[in-house]
Amino acid sequence: KSTTMKMVAGYLTPTRGTARLCGHDVLDEPLAVKRRLGYLPEGAPTYPDMTVTAFLDWVAAIRGFAGAERRARVGRAIGLTSLHDVLYYPIEALSKGFKRRVGLAQALLHDPEVLILDEPTDGLDPNQKHEVRRLITAMAPEKAIVISTHILEEVEAICTRAVVIARGRVVADATPDALAARSRWHNAVTVVVPSDRGEAAASALRKVERFGAVEVAAHGADGAVALSALPRDGAPIEGTVRDALAAAGIAPREMFIERGRLDEVFRELTMREAA
């Protein structure tokens, strides 16, 4: 993933094939590509001895901005990435999370049409991750944004399209919902019942042919038992689960429906490619 991003951004020269950004070939028109591209590489390399504000001002100058427009561009990038508290710190003195935000600020500074972000939330705490995801979601209607991530919850939180790459090959290209639908847990139903009704509930559910499997998911602190019924064909089974338990005289304390598990789908796709 990172290699592909580096080739599109112009950091690596492709040995074959073609890459275009906004209609411009990355080899034939590199400056036209870079004017339209904001790039956050993995690790977000910067000049460690520069302060945050000096670094962003320097990036703005290289981008061709001057005077009031330069100050406005830098101010906007600082505001978007919440860097006000560390403006005059040397970058080398910042935490990993703040360094990541400085890298994101330089990528946003010229308001590019395309953003390529390599692990954009790497090193951020939960609150910072939420803010970066909120920012990406807010910008999405106006920009093409490509991110790489190993955090599958991030895919579900912000992505409208997911591409899975294994050993250099594209093994899936679909919406997160479509990928989740491939999981055997798609439309699975989990119920929580009192401990003394656990075996009876499992027996009642295992008699239903529509279920591909019935698994005991967990035992709660109060002794309650959680059971999961997995559909054989991915079709909704909530009503069937309710009917089976009602016929056995069991009233569940809780019930919820699984969307599907992306981690399971990812493992299946990548392990199949490895095999």
Side-chain angles (χ1 to χ4, degrees):
K1 301 185 295 295
S2 295
T3 300
T4 302
M5 290 179 161
K6 288 176 181 177
M7 288 190 291
V8 174
Y11 276 29
L12 287 178
T13 302
T15 55
R16 61 181 176 179
T18 302
R20 291 188 177 89
L21 188 141
C22 298
H24 300 281
D25 188 285
V26 299
L27 291 179
D28 296 338
E29 304 173 89
L31 289 182
V33 168
K34 291 175 174 63
R35 289 189 187 100
R36 292 162 175 81
L37 173 67
Y39 176 45
L40 175 65
E42 191 174 11
T46 54
Y47 288 100
D49 56 332
M50 296 179 77
T51 64
V52 172
T53 187
F55 174 71
L56 293 177
D57 188 67
W58 175 76
V59 172
I62 286 189
R63 286 286 183 184
F65 302 116
E69 184 179 12
R70 184 196 298 181
R71 291 190 294 273
R73 295 272 181 173
V74 171
R76 177 177 178 274
I78 288 169
L80 288 172
T81 52
S82 301
L83 289 170
H84 298 93
D85 293 339
V86 295
L87 290 183
Y88 302 104
Y89 282 62
I91 293 174
E92 64 185 353
L94 300 180
S95 66
K96 184 177 181 180
F98 271 115
K99 288 177 181 175
R100 203 76 185 129
R101 283 198 263 175
V102 172
L104 183 58
Q106 65 79 27
L108 297 172
L109 199 144
H110 56 299
D111 194 21
E113 299 170 56
V114 179
L115 279 173
I116 293 182
L117 311 177
D118 198 350
E119 302 284 357
T121 60
D122 184 40
L124 304 187
D125 66 33
N127 290 332
Q128 293 170 339
K129 285 182 180 179
H130 174 76
E131 286 302 309
V132 171
R133 291 172 184 171
R134 181 192 59 76
L135 176 59
I136 290 172
T137 301
M139 293 187 298
E142 300 176 354
K143 301 182 187 298
I145 303 176
V146 181
I147 71 169
S148 75
T149 182
H150 64 280
I151 305 170
L152 293 180
E153 70 177 60
E154 200 154 85
V155 176
E156 296 182 282
I158 61 176
C159 295
T160 57
R161 175 182 174 188
V163 178
V164 181
I165 299 173
R167 294 177 174 256
R169 292 169 53 86
V170 174
V171 294
D173 182 352
T175 65
D177 284 341
L179 287 178
R182 299 188 189 187
S183 168
R184 70 190 187 103
W185 286 87
H186 178 58
N187 281 332
V189 175
T190 297
V191 295
V192 178
V193 300
S195 58
D196 61 345
R197 304 295 281 156
E199 290 187 12
S203 177
L205 293 176
R206 285 178 177 136
K207 293 177 181 177
V208 181
E209 291 186 2
R210 286 191 63 194
F211 302 158
V214 175
E215 299 183 3
V216 178
H219 293 271
D222 60 353
V225 177
L227 303 103
S228 297
L230 283 65
R232 191 177 299 278
D233 55 3
I237 58 170
E238 179 186 6
T240 308
V241 170
R242 289 184 185 277
D243 292 344
L245 293 178
I250 300 170
R253 293 181 182 177
E254 301 174 34
M255 175 181 286
F256 63 89
I257 303 169
E258 292 261 5
R259 175 173 172 268
R261 300 184 179 180
L262 281 182
D263 58 342
E264 178 192 54
V265 176
F266 179 84
R267 282 197 306 273
E268 180 184 348
L269 289 168
T270 53
M271 290 176 68
R272 182 192 307 161
E273 181 65 21

